[in-house]
Amino acid sequence: MAVRHFIEPGSFSLAEQLALLDLADRMEADPAPYAHLCDGRILATLFYEPSTRTRLSFESAMLRLGGKTLGFAGAQLSSASKGETVADTARVVSNYADVIAMRHPKEGAPLRASMYARVPVINAGDGGHAHPSQTMIDLMTIRQRKGRLDHLTIGFCGDLKFGRTVHSLTAALSQFEGNRFVFISPEELRIPQYVKDETLTPLHQNYKETADLEAELPGLDVLYMTRIQQERFFNEEDYLRLKGCYALDEKLLQMAPPTMPVLHPLPRIDEIKPDVDNDPRAAYFDQVHNGVYIRMAIILALLGIPDPLTGKKVLESI
């Protein structure tokens, strides 16, 4: 059986991504047929960086499929603190688990792990680069709310420089026709040049860059907020200067279309005020709910386990 990995959204073809979304929708609607598909299987969560939602939802996903989990929740709790390389860790853990979910502060670490692991590796976030499982969650949530993934105007607001979820979702949505991107950020936190060079320019995407959230709100179909990430800054002064640059509250949200969902990968700090939570457009806790089903679907896909309702596998080459 071929070993497939999920390192970036492009690790799966567009058809495979859509099949994954369909599987997640079926599991959300009726979880019971999937409850024992991973009996006897083990997921290793190797998290070298702090995480609440991603680590726990991967573990919840495996447990809901009947499997078991093991792992660590910080580099200081692993042999990395003794100098062990990612490559050696991947070799070792391949003996203990059937699939690995890895989060790492260094960009490219999960890709390197996949070169040495004998089991599938899932990138659960690598530095400011990519977060493909979060991207699938975002696609699932947008499709549920808007009924489509094409011909949308999507606004990304906040830390677009270090926001790996923004980079991954931009790449994923660029596969669909007619989408338009509005990147809203301070000058210092603009979308990186590599995203333009690798995704936006080659695919002839329609996009604009601005610092004015208020002016753009009326024209958006989807708003994706992000926090200013303190852990990515080299000095405290720059972080403090930028951290409060955007704050979406109910008053500001009234300028947006009534059907515009507000997404956020969480955790939030002060960029979305609590008074937005009760607005029907708030979709960020829907994303958390969808995360378990997407990650269940990813695990089944990489293990080559067919959907019991359709008899089909998500990935074509497993």
Side-chain angles (χ1 to χ4, degrees), residues 155-194:
F156 292 97
C157 180
D159 180 358
L160 310 187
K161 179 179 181 180
F162 300 113
R164 57 194 171 200
T165 59
V166 173
H167 307 163
S168 292
L169 185 55
T170 298
L173 287 170
S174 293
Q175 302 171 99
F176 299 91
E177 289 186 1
N179 286 332
R180 176 174 176 267
F181 301 97
V182 181
F183 297 113
I184 306 160
S185 71
E187 180 75 28
E188 299 93 328
L189 296 175
R190 286 193 168 188
I191 197 81
Q193 189 62 41
Y194 88 84

Side-chain angles (χ1 to χ4, degrees), residues 58-192:
F58 266 116
E59 293 180 356
S60 176
M62 191 54 152
L63 293 170
R64 288 168 186 259
L65 290 168
K68 295 181 170 61
T69 70
L70 53 80
F72 54 81
Q76 74 281 4
L77 303 176
S78 75
S79 287
S81 62
K82 305 174 185 176
E84 184 171 66
T85 65
V86 164
D88 279 0
T89 298
R91 287 188 181 103
V92 169
V93 176
S94 293
N95 293 284
Y96 306 148
D98 301 285
V99 60
I100 294 169
M102 175 181 284
R103 168 166 291 186
H104 203 285
K106 290 186 178 178
E107 298 174 7
L111 174 61
R112 183 159 182 79
S114 73
M115 297 174 180
Y116 294 91
R118 299 196 310 275
V119 300
V121 174
I122 303 166
N123 178 3
D126 60 333
H129 176 234
H131 196 351
S133 65
Q134 180 66 49
T135 299
M136 299 308 301
I137 294 166
D138 300 338
L139 293 178
M140 181 178 179
T141 307
I142 292 170
R143 192 170 74 161
Q144 287 175 344
R145 288 296 190 111
K146 302 300 292 185
R148 67 188 193 278
L149 292 170
D150 56 8
H151 298 92
L152 295 168
T153 297
I154 306 102
F156 292 97
C157 180
D159 180 358
L160 310 187
K161 179 179 181 180
F162 300 113
R164 57 194 171 200
T165 59
V166 173
H167 307 163
S168 292
L169 185 55
T170 298
L173 287 170
S174 293
Q175 302 171 99
F176 299 91
E177 289 186 1
N179 286 332
R180 176 174 176 267
F181 301 97
V182 181
F183 297 113
I184 306 160
S185 71
E187 180 75 28
E188 299 93 328
L189 296 175
R190 286 193 168 188
I191 197 81

Side-chain angles (χ1 to χ4, degrees), residues 251-289:
K251 181 180 179 182
L252 185 57
L253 190 56
Q254 294 314 308
M255 303 182 66
T259 58
M260 182 202 78
V262 178
L263 280 71
H264 192 304
L266 301 179
R268 64 173 166 184
I269 307 300
D270 52 11
E271 62 277 1
I272 297 180
K273 299 301 183 183
D275 65 359
V276 175
D277 294 354
N278 293 325
D279 190 293
R281 289 168 287 188
Y284 30 93
F285 293 117
D286 291 350
Q287 290 168 270
V288 175
H289 173 77

